[in-house]
């Protein structure tokens, strides 16, 4: 279970000069209050958004890590570097609780392929994610073009 900070703990962190932008609060309003005082960007309350998507059960149970690792190309001189990139991104997605989103995207891409639907080459910061490239969300090889994942998962 993820630990959530109280308002008092947030004040203590700020007093000690710590960055609170990636620190989860039990009440988003507390964080937003700090944002106003410190001229930071506030966040919206997305607690009402469900991560339970209406997709087939086998996609909900899909092991994202195994699925992605099986998509990694093997037969090049950069295999170790690419594997390290994949592991870094998997870790970043996992830290942010985004595996359900990846399961949803895998489902959507599978449906689009099965129905011969065409989608775009890629757009915006999402093209910096090599995992999204492996899934097929976009066609831009972010490893080849040395795009930094931090541009997407800020």
């Amino acid at each position: 279970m993820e630990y959530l900070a109280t308002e008092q703990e947030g004040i203590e962190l700020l007093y000690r000069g710590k960055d609170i932008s990636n620190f989860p609060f039990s009440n988003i309003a507390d964080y937003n209050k700090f944002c106003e005082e410190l001229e930071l960007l506030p966040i919206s309350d997305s607690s009402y958004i469900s991560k339970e998507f209406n997709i087939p059960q086998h996609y909900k149970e899909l092991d994202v890590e195994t699925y992605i690792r099986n998509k990694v190309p093997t037969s090049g001189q950069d295999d170790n570097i690419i594997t390290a990139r994949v592991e870094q991104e998997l870790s970043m997605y996992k830290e942010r609780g985004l595996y359900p989103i990846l399961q949803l995207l895998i489902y959507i891409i599978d449906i689009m392929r099965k129905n011969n639907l065409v989608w775009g080459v890629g757009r915006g910061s999402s093209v910096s994610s090599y995992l999204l490239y492996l899934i097929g969300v976009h066609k831009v090889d972010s490893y080849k073009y040395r795009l930094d994942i931090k541009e997407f998962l800020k």
Side-chain angles (χ1 to χ4, degrees):
M1 181 172 188
E2 182 180 25
Y3 175 77
L4 301 174
T6 64
E7 179 181 6
Q8 186 58 41
E9 290 166 324
I11 292 169
E12 185 69 27
L13 287 169
L14 287 171
Y15 178 75
R16 293 180 182 189
K18 303 290 183 186
D19 178 90
I20 63 168
S21 61
N22 290 321
F23 204 85
F25 283 87
S26 57
N27 182 349
I28 291 175
D30 292 342
Y31 175 80
N32 285 340
K33 187 166 87 175
F34 296 129
C35 288
E36 288 175 24
E37 294 170 9
L38 300 172
E39 298 179 8
L40 300 172
L41 289 175
I43 56 176
S44 64
D45 182 356
S46 59
S47 61
Y48 63 90
I49 298 173
S50 172
K51 289 188 180 176
E52 284 297 315
F53 301 110
N54 188 15
I55 60 176
Q57 190 63 33
H58 68 276
Y59 284 98
K60 291 180 181 182
E61 296 170 356
L62 179 75
D63 181 346
V64 170
E65 293 177 7
T66 301
Y67 180 89
I68 296 293
R69 288 178 182 133
N70 287 335
K71 295 274 187 187
V72 176
T74 58
S75 66
Q77 58 186 6
D78 292 343
D79 286 356
N80 291 337
I81 298 168
I82 291 173
T83 299
R85 167 79 181 246
V86 166
E87 294 304 320
Q88 174 196 17
E89 286 194 34
L90 281 170
S91 175
M92 293 173 82
Y93 277 89
K94 190 173 193 173
E95 284 172 8
R96 290 163 174 81
L98 296 175
Y99 277 19
I101 302 284
L102 293 176
Q103 291 166 326
L104 174 65
L105 289 171
I106 291 166
Y107 168 69
I108 290 170
I109 296 302
D110 283 354
I111 291 298
M112 291 173 74
R113 285 185 175 135
K114 286 177 188 172
N115 291 287
N116 295 317
L117 298 173
V118 178
W119 61 98
V121 174
R123 182 180 173 279
S125 64
S126 69
V127 299
S128 64
S129 173
Y130 191 66
L131 293 190
L132 296 182
Y133 168 73
L134 291 175
I135 292 170
V137 173
H138 60 74
K139 305 292 184 210
V140 178
D141 184 338
S142 47
Y143 172 74
K144 178 180 176 182
Y145 295 106
R146 306 287 189 237
L147 302 176
D148 189 350
I149 182 61
K150 293 174 187 159
E151 291 301 314
F152 179 55
L153 295 175
K154 287 184 179 181

